[in-house]
Amino acid sequence: MRVNRILLSSSLIVVALVIQVSVLARLHLPGAVPDLLLLTVLGLALVYGHVGGALIGFAAGLLADLAPPADHAAGRYALVLCVIGYLAGLVKPESGQVKSATGPMVVVVAAAVGSTLLYAGVGALVGDTAARHVGLSGLLFTAALYDLLLAPFVVPGVMALARRAENDPLAETNPAKSGDIASGWLSGGTGLRIGGQRNGLRVKAARARVARAGRIKGVKRL
């Protein structure tokens, strides 16, 4: 991954995690908690593709596993977001720009439901039965609803920032190419004109010397 991708992704992930832990988790909404971190991973994966989405999802999930007040095994949410980021990156638009909001909204709903199921499934494997006590159907519905309501305010902005970082003109400038263009312009334009002007001055000077010599010879004959 390029440096601008790493800087942007890490900054967005940290901001999303802080907001989710300090604000969204304290709203005490019924059912699931709005997953701002998941939406950030989806927005980046839709621009960077499946490889970038998997790497970003794993890093974001691992950070969430280690950040307080996490009460589950480390690596559990990292596995979930890694899979979700990979799958979301597979539906990345070829142009990097989404023409309709329907596609991203479907991706958000599928990711919310899939991440909840995968998280509950991994929890069942390690002996965590909290999802059973809360009610899996209620978690699925509220997770999809909250993420769908929050997505229009998060995913387009994340995608716009990611595309801007990808199209950074400073990163795409080719010094060698610009040097070739400058040298070609100098040799093809200014050089020829200067050469033509010099040749014209030389011809004028020669004519002036010939005329002066003719005048001198005429004086001598007289």
Side-chain angles (χ1 to χ4, degrees), residues 42-44 46-47 93 96-98 104 154-164:
L42 291 179
L44 294 173
L46 290 175
V47 177
Q97 296 183 354
V98 180
V154 178
V155 177
V158 172
M159 294 182 66
L161 291 175
R163 286 196 301 266
R164 181 173 297 181

mmCIF file of all heavy atoms in Angstrom, residues 42-44 46-47 93 96-98 104 154-164:
data_model
loop_
_atom_site.group_PDB
_atom_site.id
_atom_site.type_symbol
_atom_site.label_atom_id
_atom_site.label_comp_id
_atom_site.label_asym_id
_atom_site.label_seq_id
_atom_site.Cartn_x
_atom_site.Cartn_y
_atom_site.Cartn_z
ATOM 1 N N LEU A 42 -15.765 -0.187 4.748
ATOM 2 C CA LEU A 42 -16.484 -0.372 3.494
ATOM 3 C C LEU A 42 -16.164 0.745 2.500
ATOM 4 O O LEU A 42 -15.950 0.480 1.312
ATOM 5 C CB LEU A 42 -17.988 -0.413 3.763
ATOM 6 C CG LEU A 42 -18.533 -1.630 4.508
ATOM 7 C CD1 LEU A 42 -20.027 -1.493 4.719
ATOM 8 C CD2 LEU A 42 -18.217 -2.913 3.774
ATOM 9 N N GLY A 43 -16.152 1.987 2.972
ATOM 10 C CA GLY A 43 -15.839 3.095 2.081
ATOM 11 C C GLY A 43 -14.445 3.000 1.489
ATOM 12 O O GLY A 43 -14.243 3.260 0.295
ATOM 13 N N LEU A 44 -13.481 2.598 2.292
ATOM 14 C CA LEU A 44 -12.112 2.448 1.788
ATOM 15 C C LEU A 44 -11.989 1.244 0.861
ATOM 16 O O LEU A 44 -11.275 1.292 -0.144
ATOM 17 C CB LEU A 44 -11.148 2.301 2.971
ATOM 18 C CG LEU A 44 -11.008 3.546 3.867
ATOM 19 C CD1 LEU A 44 -10.165 3.229 5.092
ATOM 20 C CD2 LEU A 44 -10.398 4.704 3.101
ATOM 21 N N LEU A 46 -14.268 0.003 -1.102
ATOM 22 C CA LEU A 46 -14.910 0.287 -2.385
ATOM 23 C C LEU A 46 -14.033 1.129 -3.305
ATOM 24 O O LEU A 46 -14.329 1.254 -4.491
ATOM 25 C CB LEU A 46 -16.241 1.000 -2.153
ATOM 26 C CG LEU A 46 -17.362 0.147 -1.546
ATOM 27 C CD1 LEU A 46 -18.587 1.002 -1.254
ATOM 28 C CD2 LEU A 46 -17.735 -1.003 -2.467
ATOM 29 N N VAL A 47 -12.963 1.712 -2.772
ATOM 30 C CA VAL A 47 -12.024 2.491 -3.583
ATOM 31 C C VAL A 47 -10.716 1.734 -3.789
ATOM 32 O O VAL A 47 -10.165 1.708 -4.887
ATOM 33 C CB VAL A 47 -11.755 3.859 -2.928
ATOM 34 C CG1 VAL A 47 -10.721 4.651 -3.736
ATOM 35 C CG2 VAL A 47 -13.042 4.664 -2.823
ATOM 36 N N PRO A 93 -16.177 -0.429 -7.954
ATOM 37 C CA PRO A 93 -16.410 0.031 -9.334
ATOM 38 C C PRO A 93 -15.087 0.189 -10.070
ATOM 39 O O PRO A 93 -14.073 0.571 -9.494
ATOM 40 C CB PRO A 93 -17.115 1.382 -9.141
ATOM 41 C CG PRO A 93 -17.622 1.369 -7.742
ATOM 42 C CD PRO A 93 -16.673 0.524 -6.951
ATOM 43 N N GLY A 96 -13.850 3.646 -9.964
ATOM 44 C CA GLY A 96 -13.628 4.172 -8.627
ATOM 45 C C GLY A 96 -14.718 5.102 -8.145
ATOM 46 O O GLY A 96 -14.699 5.532 -6.999
ATOM 47 N N GLN A 97 -15.702 5.404 -9.004
ATOM 48 C CA GLN A 97 -16.799 6.290 -8.656
ATOM 49 C C GLN A 97 -18.116 5.543 -8.789
ATOM 50 O O GLN A 97 -18.332 4.812 -9.758
ATOM 51 C CB GLN A 97 -16.815 7.535 -9.550
ATOM 52 C CG GLN A 97 -15.591 8.416 -9.374
ATOM 53 C CD GLN A 97 -15.672 9.666 -10.218
ATOM 54 O OE1 GLN A 97 -16.583 9.821 -11.022
ATOM 55 N NE2 GLN A 97 -14.720 10.559 -10.044
ATOM 56 N N VAL A 98 -18.982 5.721 -7.799
ATOM 57 C CA VAL A 98 -20.270 5.040 -7.782
ATOM 58 C C VAL A 98 -21.295 5.912 -8.487
ATOM 59 O O VAL A 98 -21.466 7.083 -8.156
ATOM 60 C CB VAL A 98 -20.714 4.750 -6.336
ATOM 61 C CG1 VAL A 98 -22.059 4.043 -6.321
ATOM 62 C CG2 VAL A 98 -19.670 3.896 -5.632
ATOM 63 N N PRO A 104 -23.965 0.801 -3.073
ATOM 64 C CA PRO A 104 -23.365 0.927 -1.743
ATOM 65 C C PRO A 104 -24.330 0.623 -0.604
ATOM 66 O O PRO A 104 -23.934 0.059 0.414
ATOM 67 C CB PRO A 104 -22.900 2.386 -1.703
ATOM 68 C CG PRO A 104 -22.685 2.744 -3.121
ATOM 69 C CD PRO A 104 -23.717 2.003 -3.879
ATOM 70 N N VAL A 154 -21.396 8.767 6.024
ATOM 71 C CA VAL A 154 -20.039 8.273 6.254
ATOM 72 C C VAL A 154 -19.396 7.759 4.968
ATOM 73 O O VAL A 154 -18.312 8.209 4.570
ATOM 74 C CB VAL A 154 -20.038 7.162 7.329
ATOM 75 C CG1 VAL A 154 -18.626 6.614 7.529
ATOM 76 C CG2 VAL A 154 -20.611 7.683 8.635
ATOM 77 N N VAL A 155 -20.055 6.819 4.292
ATOM 78 C CA VAL A 155 -19.443 6.124 3.158
ATOM 79 C C VAL A 155 -19.092 7.070 2.016
ATOM 80 O O VAL A 155 -17.964 7.010 1.487
ATOM 81 C CB VAL A 155 -20.361 4.977 2.683
ATOM 82 C CG1 VAL A 155 -19.766 4.295 1.454
ATOM 83 C CG2 VAL A 155 -20.561 3.957 3.796
ATOM 84 N N PRO A 156 -19.984 7.975 1.566
ATOM 85 C CA PRO A 156 -19.576 8.872 0.467
ATOM 86 C C PRO A 156 -18.396 9.764 0.818
ATOM 87 O O PRO A 156 -17.524 10.000 -0.023
ATOM 88 C CB PRO A 156 -20.848 9.700 0.216
ATOM 89 C CG PRO A 156 -21.964 8.887 0.764
ATOM 90 C CD PRO A 156 -21.404 8.174 1.943
ATOM 91 N N GLY A 157 -18.363 10.260 2.050
ATOM 92 C CA GLY A 157 -17.233 11.100 2.448
ATOM 93 C C GLY A 157 -15.921 10.342 2.487
ATOM 94 O O GLY A 157 -14.881 10.846 2.046
ATOM 95 N N VAL A 158 -15.955 9.116 3.003
ATOM 96 C CA VAL A 158 -14.741 8.291 3.044
ATOM 97 C C VAL A 158 -14.266 7.982 1.631
ATOM 98 O O VAL A 158 -13.063 8.045 1.328
ATOM 99 C CB VAL A 158 -15.006 7.005 3.841
ATOM 100 C CG1 VAL A 158 -13.825 6.043 3.729
ATOM 101 C CG2 VAL A 158 -15.273 7.332 5.309
ATOM 102 N N MET A 159 -15.201 7.639 0.742
ATOM 103 C CA MET A 159 -14.818 7.340 -0.642
ATOM 104 C C MET A 159 -14.247 8.565 -1.343
ATOM 105 O O MET A 159 -13.301 8.456 -2.127
ATOM 106 C CB MET A 159 -16.029 6.796 -1.398
ATOM 107 C CG MET A 159 -16.532 5.450 -0.904
ATOM 108 S SD MET A 159 -17.936 4.833 -1.862
ATOM 109 C CE MET A 159 -17.168 4.561 -3.461
ATOM 110 N N ALA A 160 -14.819 9.732 -1.081
ATOM 111 C CA ALA A 160 -14.300 10.954 -1.702
ATOM 112 C C ALA A 160 -12.883 11.253 -1.239
ATOM 113 O O ALA A 160 -12.012 11.620 -2.042
ATOM 114 C CB ALA A 160 -15.228 12.118 -1.381
ATOM 115 N N LEU A 161 -12.612 11.085 0.049
ATOM 116 C CA LEU A 161 -11.259 11.301 0.563
ATOM 117 C C LEU A 161 -10.281 10.292 -0.016
ATOM 118 O O LEU A 161 -9.138 10.636 -0.352
ATOM 119 C CB LEU A 161 -11.268 11.222 2.088
ATOM 120 C CG LEU A 161 -11.972 12.362 2.836
ATOM 121 C CD1 LEU A 161 -12.007 12.065 4.333
ATOM 122 C CD2 LEU A 161 -11.281 13.683 2.575
ATOM 123 N N ALA A 162 -10.717 9.058 -0.137
ATOM 124 C CA ALA A 162 -9.837 8.014 -0.685
ATOM 125 C C ALA A 162 -9.520 8.278 -2.148
ATOM 126 O O ALA A 162 -8.374 8.103 -2.593
ATOM 127 C CB ALA A 162 -10.485 6.646 -0.513
ATOM 128 N N ARG A 163 -10.528 8.691 -2.928
ATOM 129 C CA ARG A 163 -10.272 9.002 -4.335
ATOM 130 C C ARG A 163 -9.357 10.206 -4.483
ATOM 131 O O ARG A 163 -8.504 10.253 -5.370
ATOM 132 C CB ARG A 163 -11.599 9.261 -5.060
ATOM 133 C CG ARG A 163 -12.420 8.024 -5.325
ATOM 134 C CD ARG A 163 -13.489 8.303 -6.361
ATOM 135 N NE ARG A 163 -14.375 9.370 -5.934
ATOM 136 C CZ ARG A 163 -15.529 9.184 -5.307
ATOM 137 N NH1 ARG A 163 -15.918 7.958 -5.011
ATOM 138 N NH2 ARG A 163 -16.293 10.211 -4.964
ATOM 139 N N ARG A 164 -9.524 11.193 -3.617
ATOM 140 C CA ARG A 164 -8.651 12.371 -3.680
ATOM 141 C C ARG A 164 -7.207 11.994 -3.361
ATOM 142 O O ARG A 164 -6.272 12.511 -3.965
ATOM 143 C CB ARG A 164 -9.143 13.438 -2.713
ATOM 144 C CG ARG A 164 -8.326 14.721 -2.722
ATOM 145 C CD ARG A 164 -8.965 15.782 -1.866
ATOM 146 N NE ARG A 164 -10.280 16.173 -2.362
ATOM 147 C CZ ARG A 164 -11.036 17.098 -1.797
ATOM 148 N NH1 ARG A 164 -10.611 17.728 -0.701
ATOM 149 N NH2 ARG A 164 -12.200 17.410 -2.318
#
